[in-house]
Amino acid sequence: MKVSEVELAVSNQEELAVDSPSKRATTAENEGSDHVTKTIDDILKLESLERSVSERIAERIAAFTGSMLFIWLHVVWFALWIAFNIPWRGFQPIDPFPFTLLTMIVSLEAIFLSAFILMSENRQGRLADRRARVNLQVDMIAEREITKLMKLVVDIHTQLKIRRPMDLELDNMQKATKIEHLTEAAQTVEDRNGVNSASKKASK
C-alpha cells in the first residue's frame, strides 16, 4: 500500500510539473485578454455615456437604414402601394399613377433620414478627432519615455566606461521632439507637394 501511495504521489507531482507551464501560460493569456477586453469596454462605456438621447436615436435610425431589412421593407411597401393603386374592376385608387402621394412621402422620408445620418456622421467625426488627439498625446508621451531611456542607457555606458563610436543620429534621438517642428515640417511638405502638382498641371 505504501509503495502504491508513493508512486501515485510521484505521478501526481509529474503531472503538475508538466501541466504547470501550460496552465501558467493559459492564465497569463487569459489575464492579458481580460485586460484588453476591459480596456475596450471602458472606451465603449465612455463613448456611450457622452451620447445624448437624440444622438442615440439618430445612430439607431442610421444603423437601421443601412440594413437589408430596411431595403426589403421598402420593396414590399412600394410593391403593395403600386398594386393597390392600379385602377381595375372599377376600383378607385387613393394615389393613382404617377403616385404623387407616394413620391411626397418618400421625399419627406429622405429628408429626415439624411438629417439623422448627418447627426450620426457628425458624432463619429467628433469621436475620430478626439481619438486622433489622444493617439498624438500617447505617441508624444511614449517618445519622451523612449528618449529618457536612451539617455539612461548612455549614462550607463558612461558610468561603466564603455566606449561607443560617434553617432550623430543617436545624439539627435536623445533630443526632445517638439510638436511645433513636426507641424512646420508637415506643412512645408504639403506646400511643396501642392506647388509641384500645380506646376505639373500648368505644364500639361
Side-chain angles (χ1 to χ4, degrees), residues 132-146:
R133 288 194 296 270
V134 172
N135 288 334
L136 178 60
Q137 293 174 0
V138 171
D139 291 340
M140 294 300 298
I141 293 172
E143 189 272 338
R144 292 173 183 172
E145 292 175 351
I146 293 172

Side-chain angles (χ1 to χ4, degrees), residues 8-202:
L8 180 61
V10 171
S11 63
N12 290 333
Q13 290 179 357
E14 290 178 352
E15 290 178 357
L16 290 173
V18 172
D19 294 339
S20 59
S22 60
K23 289 181 179 179
R24 290 175 183 174
T26 304
T27 304
E29 184 178 358
N30 291 333
E31 290 178 355
S33 62
D34 292 340
H35 176 68
V36 173
T37 305
K38 185 178 182 302
T39 303
I40 296 173
D41 291 338
D42 291 340
I43 294 173
L44 293 177
K45 287 179 182 178
L46 180 62
E47 293 180 354
S48 62
L49 289 175
E50 295 177 353
R51 291 187 302 175
S52 62
V53 177
S54 59
E55 289 177 344
R56 293 180 183 178
I57 295 174
E59 287 187 357
R60 290 181 181 178
I61 293 175
F64 176 68
T65 56
S67 63
M68 286 299 300
L69 178 60
F70 180 79
I71 296 175
W72 284 114
L73 286 176
H74 279 69
V75 170
V76 174
W77 173 28
F78 294 154
L80 292 176
W81 188 281
I82 294 172
F84 283 120
N85 285 279
I86 295 176
W88 58 294
R89 294 184 179 179
F91 176 74
Q92 294 297 327
I94 301 173
D95 184 24
F97 183 83
F99 311 111
T100 307
L101 180 60
L102 177 62
T103 304
M104 184 185 68
I105 294 173
V106 172
S107 300
L108 292 174
E109 181 190 27
I111 293 172
F112 283 104
L113 290 180
S114 60
F116 287 127
I117 292 172
L118 286 175
M119 290 176 61
S120 178
E121 289 182 352
N122 288 336
R123 184 176 182 278
Q124 293 298 327
R126 291 196 301 271
L127 290 177
D129 293 339
R130 185 181 304 169
R131 291 168 184 166
R133 288 194 296 270
V134 172
N135 288 334
L136 178 60
Q137 293 174 0
V138 171
D139 291 340
M140 294 300 298
I141 293 172
E143 189 272 338
R144 292 173 183 172
E145 292 175 351
I146 293 172
T147 302
K148 190 66 176 179
L149 288 175
M150 293 176 65
K151 290 181 180 179
L152 291 175
V153 172
V154 172
D155 293 340
I156 292 172
H157 274 240
T158 305
Q159 188 69 25
L160 296 177
K161 297 180 181 180
I162 299 175
R163 294 182 179 180
R164 65 181 181 88
M166 295 295 297
D167 192 346
L168 295 177
E169 185 178 4
L170 180 61
D171 295 337
N172 291 328
M173 287 181 179
Q174 295 179 32
K175 298 178 181 178
T177 303
K178 294 183 179 180
I179 189 65
E180 295 83 3
H181 294 169
L182 294 177
T183 305
E184 292 176 358
Q187 187 65 36
T188 302
V189 173
E190 289 179 0
D191 294 340
R192 188 184 305 165
N193 292 334
V195 171
N196 292 335
S197 61
S199 61
K200 289 180 181 179
K201 290 180 181 180

